[in-house]
Amino acid sequence: MTTADPATDDTPRIGLGIDVHRLERGLRCVLGGVELPGDLGPSGHSDGDAILHAVCDACLGAAGLDDLGTLFPDKDARNRGRDSREFCTETLSRVRGAGLRVAGLDVVVECERPKIAPHRAALRASLASLFAVEIARVNVKGKTAEGLDAIGRGEALRATAIALLVPAR
Ligand code: MG
């Protein structure tokens, strides 16, 4: 396999990340690094922040690096209850190490609750800060599943993210 060198290759890199977490009553709801109000939150080995997990995987994918599950195995007790913002710091560091920077992020969150739209500005600002990209280059959209499947029944949440990386210079 040949790896393009960001020093000589201006081609943008695109990556996709998807993450699903169960929703359970009585858990904190931290998404995109923002604590959202409500009585329902994602369960998981870390803090269950499906948005950050999907965005990290999209960035790692675009950079041709490992995925989040490889970097931070859920079998590792150190990752229990871990603040997913730490995964973002590590991801950004590896993206920079590959000579790249984040030039755009777009995220779709599928869930019945919490409602995403009222929190869009806060979510965009949080992602922009965590991934060192301008707010105008970040978006987050909420979709419902029309009552269908586990997401439609409010039992789970899915985040899908796409990331555009460009050479850092
Ligand atoms: Mg996850």
Side-chain angles (χ1 to χ4, degrees):
M1 188 183 78
T2 55
T3 304
D5 179 2
T8 56
D9 178 4
D10 280 336
T11 314
R13 324 292 176 86
I14 197 161
L16 177 69
I18 297 178
D19 196 34
V20 177
H21 280 261
R22 287 180 189 277
L23 287 170
E24 291 179 12
R25 280 189 198 288
L27 295 180
R28 287 170 74 217
C29 187
V30 181
L31 286 172
V34 177
E35 182 152 3
L36 304 183
D39 61 348
L40 210 57
S43 66
H45 195 73
S46 64
D47 60 9
D49 193 328
I51 291 182
L52 294 189
H53 299 173
V55 172
C56 284
D57 261 346
C59 291
L60 292 167
L65 299 168
D66 284 330
D67 63 12
L68 202 60
T70 305
L71 294 179
F72 301 102
D74 61 9
K75 308 230 174 337
D76 188 336
R78 282 174 301 177
N79 295 327
R80 177 171 293 282
R82 195 157 174 180
D83 184 334
S84 292
R85 288 176 296 187
E86 294 174 26
F87 301 156
C88 301
T89 305
E90 178 66 20
T91 295
L92 189 60
S93 153
R94 289 176 185 240
V95 162
R96 286 174 165 158
L100 298 162
R101 66 177 172 86
V102 179
L105 296 174
D106 198 14
V107 181
V108 175
V109 185
E110 295 166 81
C111 59
E112 302 305 305
R113 285 190 297 148
K115 292 297 176 200
I116 298 300
H119 308 291
R120 181 180 291 126
L123 291 166
R124 290 177 74 187
S126 175
L127 290 174
S129 167
L130 287 167
F131 291 91
V133 55
E134 302 92 328
I135 290 177
R137 291 171 174 266
V138 179
N139 212 345
V140 181
K141 301 179 288 284
K143 303 287 285 183
T144 63
E146 302 287 337
L148 300 168
D149 69 28
I151 291 173
R153 290 191 297 273
E155 298 166 5
L157 167 153
R158 174 166 50 227
T160 303
I162 194 161
L164 186 73
L165 305 188
V166 297
R169 68 195 149 75

